[in-house]
Amino acid sequence: MAKTSHDLVVEAKSKIKEVSVVDAREMIQSGAVVLDVREPGEFENGHVPGAINLPRGLLEFKLAATPELNQPDTPIVVYCKTSGRSALAVATLADMGVTNTVNMGGGYDAWAEAGYPTDKPPAIDYN
């Protein structure tokens, strides 16, 4: 039987490190890079302050061109909406040799629910 997306996420989570939003916030405050692997429209609706938006579907292709993600000593906190896509992204990054990464458990939804700060670009006023 073929694997489902759920199977792939469970497998990825068994191979990576996942941290709580509390721990992720502490890491970010200590200088970790924040990587949002959601789609641009999701990012525009709200994101963790300072996050780099690099959709998971482009990760392998844009990694080398994103200097912030190529600093071996700088930890990277990766998140998506609820933590599935980001788990897959962290596993992919590890396969590509980027090993100082963690998955933020619960994703952006958990971050926002915890009441942590979020950024949302201002709406464009066409008047």
Side-chain angles (χ1 to χ4, degrees):
M1 179 171 192
K3 289 184 182 182
T4 65
S5 58
H6 176 74
D7 295 334
L8 293 172
V9 170
V10 169
E11 185 178 314
K13 285 191 174 197
S14 74
K15 298 176 183 177
I16 64 168
K17 181 176 181 183
E18 186 166 90
V19 299
S20 68
V21 292
V22 172
D23 291 339
R25 185 174 189 218
E26 288 176 11
M27 291 177 68
I28 294 164
Q29 290 173 333
S30 296
V33 171
V34 188
L35 176 60
D36 183 324
V37 296
R38 298 175 300 156
E39 294 299 313
E42 293 174 286
F43 184 80
E44 291 170 8
N45 286 326
H47 55 271
V48 174
I52 298 166
N53 182 222
L54 184 54
R56 191 179 78 80
L58 299 174
L59 187 62
E60 297 88 339
F61 303 101
K62 300 236 177 189
L63 178 65
T66 310
E68 301 89 340
L69 302 178
N70 291 289
Q71 304 298 321
D73 296 328
T74 303
I76 302 169
V77 174
V78 184
Y79 73 91
C80 63
K81 180 175 172 40
T82 60
S83 78
R85 286 176 285 176
S86 54
L88 296 170
V90 170
T92 297
L93 288 167
D95 287 345
M96 296 179 74
V98 181
T99 58
N100 201 7
T101 58
V102 298
N103 186 36
M104 185 170 75
Y108 181 76
D109 286 357
W111 178 274
E113 188 176 297
Y116 293 150
T118 61
D119 278 352
K120 184 175 181 179
I124 298 173
D125 184 1
Y126 292 103
N127 293 323

